[in-house]
Amino acid sequence: MWQLKCSDVSLGYEGKTIINHLNFQVSAGDSLYIIGENGTGKSTLIKTMLGLRQPIEGTIEFGEDVKPTEIGYLPQQTIVQRDFPASVWEVVMSGNLNHSGFRPFYNKKEKERAEANMRKLGIEDFKKRCYRDLSGGQQQRVLLARALCAAEKMLLLDEPVAGLDPKITGEMYELIQKLNEEGITIIMVSHDMAAACNYADHILHIAHKQVFFGTKEEYLNTETGKAFTESVKMEALGEDKNDR
């Protein structure tokens, strides 16, 4: 059953079209990686899915079983956000605003949900610490826990590992993969083609002149996918030579 459908969508901003006639579907439990060069509209697409932008043409629909309050969002972090002077607990709990609306307090269920997500991501010991005092990887775990407080069916992530070192990047990918295995649909913008080919069920590759959407296996049989595979082999050969 599809949870999101993009039908003949054109996107852009400031009067400039950057994506034309985009068509794809995301089914429940899928892991979709959106890859491509800078400036091709990947982040714009995510914001349009969230209703923060309107498409120039076409429609983006959510399935009947997906409500806006069941979608979590992890945006790209700005420098200002990294210096946010709130406790980890306050940041994680704010994800429940997706459910609580105008209610001026958090209920027991929401607090338990936040605590469970912090345990799941291994940040329960940071509860009273100031968010801005954490490392980049720790901050991303906090923001992911916050997004999970909002997400029940679907999680949208925009470059969640940007600026992280390789070890923390690998840990973040494993955490996201585990969430997907637990049933949450993942839609992720990424520059990391290796991760896309490792973790994704489907790949949406947006280029300036063409768009590919299909399974990971189909992607690896395209010219772009073959070129990527060859580059990985060449890199591995280079590393082997350096190790000798």
Side-chain angles (χ1 to χ4, degrees):
M1 178 183 295
W2 64 270
Q3 287 189 333
L4 181 143
K5 182 189 291 184
C6 186
S7 304
D8 202 30
V9 166
S10 295
L11 302 174
Y13 50 86
E14 298 178 355
K16 178 183 177 181
T17 301
I18 53 176
I19 302 176
N20 278 304
H21 309 299
L22 189 59
N23 293 278
F24 66 91
Q25 287 187 187
V26 180
S27 299
D30 270 358
S31 177
L32 171 67
Y33 276 53
I34 304 172
I35 60 177
E37 298 175 357
N38 287 332
T40 53
K42 303 183 300 297
S43 293
T44 299
L45 175 58
I46 288 285
K47 290 174 182 176
T48 306
M49 290 177 186
L50 291 164
L52 302 175
R53 290 183 179 272
Q54 292 300 313
I56 296 172
E57 294 180 347
T59 59
I60 295 180
E61 307 170 78
F62 287 96
E64 294 181 357
D65 67 326
V66 181
K67 302 179 179 65
T69 56
E70 296 174 325
I71 302 170
Y73 175 45
L74 178 55
Q76 293 185 41
Q77 264 209 100
T78 65
I79 294 175
V80 172
Q81 289 169 331
R82 291 191 183 99
D83 200 38
F84 193 60
S87 71
V88 167
W89 176 246
E90 289 171 325
V91 173
V92 174
M93 282 296 293
S94 67
N96 287 305
L97 293 173
N98 207 26
H99 307 286
S100 62
F102 295 106
R103 176 162 33 87
F105 59 88
Y106 297 114
N107 60 34
K108 181 180 178 181
K109 181 179 179 181
E110 290 162 347
K111 292 177 182 178
E112 290 175 345
R113 183 179 179 87
E115 289 173 346
N117 286 327
M118 291 176 70
R119 285 194 301 273
K120 181 181 293 186
L121 297 180
I123 57 171
E124 64 269 30
D125 292 340
F126 304 156
K127 185 174 181 178
K128 295 181 180 180
R129 290 184 61 181
C130 184
Y131 173 79
R132 66 183 176 188
D133 293 337
L134 303 180
S135 69
Q138 291 167 342
Q139 286 187 345
Q140 284 299 84
R141 285 175 179 254
V142 171
L143 293 179
L144 185 54
R146 178 185 184 276
L148 284 175
C149 285
E152 293 183 21
K153 299 284 183 67
M154 183 180 292
L155 193 57
L156 306 184
L157 307 112
D158 193 352
E159 296 286 359
V161 300
L164 302 182
D165 66 47
K167 180 177 183 295
I168 302 301
T169 292
E171 291 175 357
M172 283 294 293
Y173 280 133
E174 290 296 329
L175 284 170
I176 293 166
Q177 175 70 5
K178 184 177 179 181
L179 295 172
N180 182 236
E181 291 171 354
E182 292 174 355
I184 294 180
T185 302
I186 300 294
I187 300 177
M188 185 194 305
V189 169
S190 177
H191 280 95
D192 191 341
M193 293 179 69
C197 293
N198 191 24
Y199 296 106
D201 298 318
H202 290 79
I203 292 176
L204 176 63
H205 189 149
I206 303 175
H208 289 289
K209 294 184 178 180
Q210 61 183 359
V211 173
F212 169 87
F213 172 73
T215 65
K216 173 173 59 181
E217 291 74 21
E218 290 169 341
Y219 177 73
L220 290 173
N221 283 318
T222 65
E223 290 303 315
T224 303
K226 289 177 182 177
F228 165 72
T229 303
E230 188 63 28
S231 70
V232 171
K233 289 179 180 177
M234 294 300 291
E235 185 177 332
L237 286 173
E239 289 177 353
D240 285 345
K241 289 179 181 180
N242 291 333
D243 289 339
R244 291 173 184 171

